[in-house]
Amino acid sequence: MIKKSIESLQQEAAQSGANTLRRNLGGINLIAIGIGVIIGAGLFSLTGIAAANNAGPAVILSFILAAVGCAFSALCYAEMASMVPVAGSAYTYAYATLGEFFAWIIGWDLVLEYSVGAATVGISWSKYLVTFLDKFNIHLPAQLVSSPFELIKLADGSQIHGYINLPAVLIIVFITSIIIFGTKGSALFNAIVVALKISVVLVFIALGWHYINPENYKPFIPKNTGEFGHFGVSGILRGAGVVFFVFIGFDIVATMAQETKNPKKNMPVGILGSLVICTILFVLFGYVMTGLAHYTEFKDNAAPVAVAIAHTPYEWLFLAVIAAILIGYTSVILVDLLGQSRVFYSMSKDGLLPQVFSVLHPRFATPYKSNIVLCIFISLFAGLVPIHVVGEMTSIGTLLAFVMVCLGVIILRIKQPDIPRAFKTPFVPVVPILGILTCLLMMFSLPLDTWIRLIVWLLIGFAIYFGYGRKHSKLRNSLTKG
């Protein structure tokens, strides 16, 4: 099985010159990137869902349990990122440990996650923008905020089809333009966005704290209904599965390794730092939310935070939360697009995808052609396809990547124990095995249609790999000639 050597990857990381990514990012930038994608609108919706249907006030224990499960994979990512500080994240790690074919599977799968993620979030961003503007009596034409395949019911009762979801297209184009101008500018923009949405979360916690009703915490762990996952201890476990997906995103930090100053030190800081900060915020957020309103009030409510805010005198806070969701989605789109283009960049440099995806801008040193191609594809997808067709943003590919990274740590510890590691995952192989088991458990709990989508996408990827990638693989061709 053809693999990249760790030594060759470390040499690649040390390269500098015209066709290499610029190292502009520090530890704080990486933490901001991680927080940028972890804190999205999911925090404002999944917290209420998990509390109402699974854990009650003990949803904060679900957050802690999910964070511990996520930490197993994060520790493994930190070791790999400190040892192999190049772009590509799990794709690159799989190339070094499991071989080219498995690396292709992971890379192709991450592309699906980031593409669908960016398109889906773009569509949701558009819907929230319409809601936000409506509060100020600014009404966008219905035809320009909906896909051609959507039937819209107007106020007079008539029905029309949309033309294009223009806000969804424009946000993808806007974020892509920021990315093309370089990771330094992207990092600055993301840092501002992260600061704004963290501020809203902190304001909600601070203002809401004064109106907590202690009676809402009784019972803290509601009695199980007799069905697994509906309250009791099993409800906390099921709740952890629901909120687990709020945490996913720290792995995208690893795709930025080749643009990081002192990556051996800063990659672990970015990965673990963003996870720790978000866990603290999520626990406090869940505590205040379930303290303001009884968990039963969140049942079948699409805006559970609004229910909680109604128990305070701060009606304006609901608008601030919608603004935070808009801001949160913006940074999620940014990091999704950043991560995807860096995976494409790595796969293209290895010859597995056409060279156009690894051509860097002469001034900004970013893979701008890749950014433009992806922008066209994703923006049209977001503008013309309804959200129920795009599908909810699933994390099955990311979880599969987590499994590969955890497995890679074990393999390298056995086969190459003497390679310098700036950061070491503790208690190997226990921590990686726990990471693998946790992720597999989450994967098998996902619905069948998610697996079908993954399988179809992988079959398309196999066709591209065997039709193009295998023939043009630089490593395979160099070994053949040798």
Side-chain angles (χ1 to χ4, degrees), residues 47-63:
T47 306
I49 291 171
N53 299 328
N54 308 112
V59 68
I60 63 174
L61 299 181
S62 296
F63 272 123

Side-chain angles (χ1 to χ4, degrees), residues 411-458:
I411 291 173
L412 283 180
R413 285 289 188 97
I414 295 172
K415 293 192 173 181
Q416 295 178 278
D418 298 326
I419 289 180
R421 292 166 169 83
F423 177 88
K424 284 190 174 184
T425 304
F427 307 114
V428 174
V430 176
V431 167
I433 289 174
L434 289 173
I436 291 170
L437 293 176
T438 302
C439 294
L440 287 177
L441 181 64
M442 297 293 175
M443 288 177 69
F444 287 121
S445 70
L446 292 170
L448 180 62
D449 60 346
T450 300
W451 282 91
I452 292 173
R453 189 189 75 170
L454 175 65
I455 292 168
V456 170
W457 179 256
L458 289 179

Side-chain angles (χ1 to χ4, degrees), residues 85-96:
V86 295
S89 182
Y91 158 77
T92 303
Y93 308 155
Y95 215 146

